[in-house]
Amino acid sequence: MLINYQKATICQLDGKEILRDVDIQVNEGEFVYIIGRVGSGKSSLLKTFYQELYVDEAVEAQVLDYDMLSVKRKQIPALRRQMGIVFQDFQLLADRTVRKNLEFVLKATGWHKEDIANRIDEVLADVGMTDKSDVMPHELSGGEQQRIAIARAILNSPSLIVADEPTANLDVETAEGIMQLLRSISYKGTAVVMSTHNISLIEQYPGTVYKCVDGRLERIEE
């Protein structure tokens, strides 16, 4: 099991409680949606998985074999290297090309120089962006930027991808392309946990659904 929260309480950095009694389990290759209104706690929940926010208390709070209640600050980089994180605003480095964006991540995570070029070519092929390697981010469309963000997320072959509203700023056709890409990644064994407010996507691409409502997380049964 990649994620196992039982009776977890999640708070903002100022101590304000956002969600309580959170139960969520995520297994290898599973596709999980987190839905709910703006401000309901979707992003806060996702942030606890990579330790940008913290689990205040819980019966169990495990992510990729790390105990979220006792994980040390020095362990957080190693935790994050085992997952890919996709943001709705892409967060690409604006002053360097697509290839240099991806190279930056691989160098930072200890890849050998002779392996970097091949790995970049592999992930760009996976996301259908081989011809964009030398383009600057501002020259890409929103959908193309999100594909590069996903390429960045899968560079280290993660067990888990955490995606916060990855289709929020995209048109319908482009959003469907991003969903197809994420689903193809999950079919290869990488779990995907994504927040969304687009219910039509869930109907088109079924998965496990949890809803943030009234300060709690409810599993929506099929």
Side-chain angles (χ1 to χ4, degrees), residues 35-42 197 211-212:
I35 64 173
R37 294 180 177 178
V38 174
S40 62
K42 301 188 302 297
H197 61 268
K211 183 176 184 178
C212 295

Side-chain angles (χ1 to χ4, degrees), residues 3 5 10 19 24 32-34 41-53 63 83 85-86 160-166 192-196 212:
I3 297 175
Y5 280 15
I10 295 166
L19 293 169
I24 181 171
V32 178
Y33 294 99
I34 310 295
K42 301 188 302 297
S43 293
S44 295
L45 174 60
L46 297 187
K47 287 177 179 178
T48 67
F49 299 154
Y50 51 91
Q51 283 287 286
E52 190 169 314
L53 282 179
V63 177
M83 65 176 71
I85 305 170
V86 181
L160 171 68
I161 287 180
V162 178
D164 192 1
E165 297 272 10
V192 177
V193 182
M194 67 169 279
S195 64
T196 186
C212 295

Side-chain angles (χ1 to χ4, degrees), residues 10 12 31 35 53 63 70 73 85 91 99 103 107 111 127 130 146 157 163 172 193 209-210 215:
I10 295 166
Q12 294 284 26
F31 204 101
I35 64 173
L53 282 179
V63 177
S70 62
R73 184 176 294 274
I85 305 170
Q91 296 196 11
R99 181 172 292 276
E103 187 179 280
K107 286 181 176 178
W111 280 64
V127 302
T130 302
Q146 194 61 291
S157 302
V172 173
V193 182
V209 182
Y210 291 87

Side-chain angles (χ1 to χ4, degrees), residues 102-118:
L102 301 179
E103 187 179 280
F104 177 83
V105 174
L106 291 176
K107 286 181 176 178
T109 51
W111 280 64
H112 296 297
K113 186 176 181 179
E114 58 269 23
D115 298 325
I116 287 177
N118 285 339

